[in-house]
Amino acid sequence: MIKQFIHLEWKSFIRSAAFKQNLAIKILMGFGALYFIGFFGLIGGFSYFIIEEFIEEGKIIAGNPFEVINQFLIYWIFADIAYRYMLQKMPVANIKPLLYLPFEKGKIVNYALGKTVVSFFNFLPAFFFIPFSVVLIVKGYSITGVISWHLAMLLITLATNFLNVFMNNIDKVFYPVIAVMAALGLSQYYGIFDITLYTGTVLMFFYENAWAFIIPLLLLIGTVYYAYHYFEKQLYLDEGLKSVAQEASTEDLSFLDRFGKLSTYLKNDIKLIKRNKRAKMTFFMGFFFVLYGLFFMQDVYADINGMKVFAGLFCTGGFLFSFGGLVPSWDSSYYKLMMAQNIPYREFLLSKWWLMVAATVISTLLCSFYIYFGWDWWFGILAGAVYNIGFNSSVVLWGGAFVKTPVDLMTTKKAFGDSKAFNAKTLLLLLPKLVLPVVIYYAFALTINETAGFIAIAATGVLGLLFRNKIFDLIEDIYKNEKYDTIAAYAQKN
């Protein structure tokens, strides 16, 4: 039976209209997986010695590196739950076609849950824990204790996998988890409460007692049992797998009427963001990019002035890149109907443009705290904001004409974008979005000064605003030429 399921999956893959594109994405994802495997392996092999050196230098106060790892693993568990929720997709979409076929529901559930077990998210932690466990044994730690601890960590990882099955249908769980993780981190940073003092003791228990791995094993069995029965009860097209119907509510968006005909599309987009999981998640995650500039505050980037340009582009353009990069895919579920109405492309695109501009302005205001780090940082933020509003907003819409991946509005996965949205044309358009401003900056910063580089970037954005109508004429023609290919692509659900 499993062989038949795999055979059906293979047919679905090779018969897809986007087979070549999907194959290329799989290959790229394979290289990405190898990178993370190598990275986690190196961290697992050398983290003990790095922490040991920090302890000897007095930078970390602890008895041994193993104690430090156990203390901070609680944050890894929270982070594991969070990124699984955002990135790990449940195979519900692949289950629906099987319900029309003569397969037992129990076997379908076993296959679906089995697919989640072989997920890359479950294998990746092993590439840290295996070399780290080997180092512990080499350093003289008890072999039985290390094996017990190692098994406990892998079993906890698998338990979070099945916990994700429930969390996918209970959105209210995710946000408290993020809030708790942030609260614990801040309380430890400011010396209010240190959760790691307690979690370190709990995780050391698995090392000190060779039988203790049975506890997470029982936890795993419990989550598997509950996940199986929960999934089985939901396995009905007219119940568990149907779209959730909610009572309709109306919003007063009359203030948008000042935009004339554009107001209809603007209201539709705002309602889309408020009422749909993925759009809402993308909206909030887009504004998290405001903190992206803090990444470049590290000493390694201190002497690279061009990093301020990247910070300006991403801090103010998080929503622009994440939401705008999937235009018109946000309307994929009813795109054919829209095209049948013969709506003007210009108005449709302008509504998206205004939405991205408004979000960029709000992001820029939220970035005001960067003044604390110096006026040069603030000038970089402002230059990036003007460039995003004047130039990148149009380029993002241009790239959207070549994105032919339908968006599932009822899932929170891929909030930062879709890997299938990348193709040769969209990758080429990364040049004017990210590379061109850096080139402009260095052209003026190296010949005149840093301020001139920021002014040149902002001036490019202003030029983009001045020639917006001309640019939109080109974009509109591209959308018209791609119209029927886009409609055909949106009809492909796989």
Side-chain angles (χ1 to χ4, degrees):
M1 183 63 71
I2 299 299
K3 182 180 179 181
Q4 191 170 1
F5 284 143
I6 295 173
H7 183 61
L8 290 173
E9 289 266 347
W10 174 250
K11 282 184 176 180
S12 173
F13 177 70
I14 62 175
R15 292 176 178 177
S16 170
F19 169 69
K20 293 181 180 178
Q21 181 179 339
N22 292 342
L23 182 62
I25 293 297
K26 295 290 185 184
I27 294 172
L28 289 175
M29 289 174 64
F31 285 116
L34 290 175
Y35 167 79
F36 282 107
I37 287 171
F39 178 75
F40 271 64
L42 288 173
I43 294 296
F46 291 99
S47 59
Y48 185 96
F49 304 103
I50 295 172
I51 296 172
E52 188 176 44
E53 185 177 341
F54 284 162
I55 292 174
E56 293 174 356
E57 295 175 356
K59 295 180 179 179
I60 296 178
I61 301 175
N64 57 73
F66 189 34
E67 178 184 326
V68 176
I69 291 293
N70 279 319
Q71 286 179 340
F72 286 91
L73 273 177
I74 182 63
Y75 292 113
W76 161 255
I77 294 172
F78 274 120
D80 188 31
I81 294 172
Y83 74 68
R84 280 178 186 274
Y85 178 86
M86 291 187 292
L87 299 175
Q88 186 178 7
K89 190 175 182 180
M90 293 293 102
V92 173
N94 294 332
I95 289 175
K96 290 181 181 180
L98 298 178
L99 295 181
Y100 299 102
L101 301 174
F103 296 132
E104 294 180 13
K105 287 185 171 57
K107 292 182 178 179
I108 295 176
V109 173
N110 285 333
Y111 173 67
L113 294 180
K115 282 188 65 177
T116 68
V117 172
V118 296
S119 168
F120 178 69
F121 294 101
N122 295 327
F123 288 106
L124 186 60
F127 290 97
F128 169 81
F129 289 120
I130 291 174
F132 184 76
S133 297
V134 172
V135 171
L136 290 177
I137 293 173
V138 171
K139 284 291 184 177
Y141 285 82
S142 167
I143 295 177
T144 55
V146 170
I147 293 175
S148 174
W149 176 86
H150 178 84
L151 290 174
M153 295 303 102
L154 296 184
L155 291 170
I156 290 173
T157 300
L158 287 174
T160 59
N161 173 75
F162 291 101
L163 180 64
N164 187 43
V165 173
F166 316 128
M167 289 181 59
N168 265 263
N169 284 344
I170 309 174
D171 296 330
K172 294 180 181 178
V173 174
F174 172 70
Y175 299 105
V177 167
I178 294 296
V180 168
M181 183 171 63
L184 290 175
L186 290 172
S187 63
Q188 180 180 350
Y189 181 78
Y190 289 105
I192 300 172
F193 174 72
D194 190 353
I195 186 66
T196 61
L197 297 177
Y198 303 94
T199 57
T201 303
V202 171
L203 295 179
M204 278 297 292
F205 178 79
F206 297 121
Y207 168 76
E208 295 168 351
N209 300 274
W211 57 268
F213 73 91
I214 296 175
I215 298 174
L217 176 61
L218 293 175
L219 174 65
L220 174 61
I221 293 172
T223 54
V224 171
Y225 177 83
Y226 189 79
Y228 177 87
H229 289 282
Y230 176 83
F231 221 148
E232 190 177 37
K233 289 178 182 178
Q234 299 292 317
L235 209 62
Y236 294 93
L237 287 173
D238 56 345
E239 286 296 331
L241 296 180
K242 72 176 182 180
S243 298
V244 178
Q246 296 181 345
E247 184 178 350
S249 60
T250 59
E251 297 91 5
D252 183 14
L253 301 175
S254 56
F255 66 93
L256 294 172
D257 291 339
R258 69 189 67 182
F259 290 96
K261 294 181 180 180
L262 292 181
S263 62
T264 302
Y265 305 105
L266 288 170
K267 291 175 183 178
N268 185 60
D269 288 333
I270 292 173
K271 291 175 183 178
L272 180 143
I273 292 172
K274 291 181 65 177
R275 297 176 181 177
N276 296 283
K277 291 182 180 180
R278 181 165 174 184
K280 189 184 298 182
M281 179 67 73
T282 301
F283 177 78
F284 287 117
M285 290 300 175
F287 285 103
F288 273 115
F289 276 85
V290 167
L291 304 175
Y292 191 81
L294 299 177
F295 176 78
F296 295 109
M297 299 293 176
Q298 303 177 58
D299 294 337
V300 67
Y301 301 113
D303 298 326
I304 308 176
N305 291 329
M307 291 297 103
K308 296 171 186 174
V309 178
F310 274 117
L313 292 171
F314 282 104
C315 288
T316 62
F319 179 82
L320 182 146
F321 292 128
S322 57
F323 182 86
L326 288 174
V327 173
S329 293
W330 293 110
D331 305 289
S332 58
S333 58
Y334 47 86
Y335 192 74
K336 185 185 296 186
L337 175 62
M338 290 174 59
M339 295 301 101
Q341 304 300 317
N342 198 27
I343 65 167
Y345 266 112
R346 178 63 62 94
E347 294 175 4
F348 172 74
L349 295 172
L350 276 177
S351 67
K352 309 293 185 185
W353 185 85
W354 276 108
L355 194 64
M356 291 187 290
V357 167
T360 304
V361 171
I362 294 171
S363 297
T364 305
L365 294 176
L366 293 175
C367 288
S368 299
F369 69 91
Y370 282 98
I371 296 175
Y372 173 80
F373 300 104
W375 286 104
D376 53 342
W377 277 98
W378 179 237
F379 290 150
I381 297 292
L382 287 179
V386 176
Y387 187 87
N388 280 332
I389 291 173
F391 196 81
N392 271 346
S393 55
S394 298
V395 176
V396 165
L397 291 176
W398 183 6
F402 306 109
V403 176
K404 297 179 174 62
T405 306
V407 169
D408 182 1
L409 295 173
M410 297 310 297
T411 179
T412 53
K413 304 299 172 283
K414 303 177 182 178
F416 290 111
D418 197 320
S419 59
K420 294 180 182 178
F422 289 96
N423 53 55
K425 294 176 181 176
T426 55
L427 289 174
L428 282 174
L429 288 173
L430 287 176
L431 296 176
K433 283 192 283 189
L434 300 177
V435 178
L436 179 60
V438 176
V439 173
I440 293 172
Y441 169 80
Y442 277 113
F444 285 84
L446 296 178
T447 55
I448 305 176
N449 55 44
E450 185 180 48
T451 303
F454 293 141
I455 293 173
I457 294 172
T460 305
V462 173
L463 287 174
L465 280 175
L466 293 176
F467 290 97
R468 189 195 68 178
N469 289 334
K470 294 292 184 182
I471 297 173
F472 264 68
D473 287 338
L474 296 173
I475 296 174
E476 190 174 359
D477 289 338
I478 294 171
Y479 270 82
K480 288 178 180 178
N481 292 333
E482 299 289 331
K483 175 179 176 179
Y484 296 104
D485 288 341
T486 303
I487 292 173
Y490 288 161
Q492 283 280 333
K493 298 301 181 184
N494 244 334

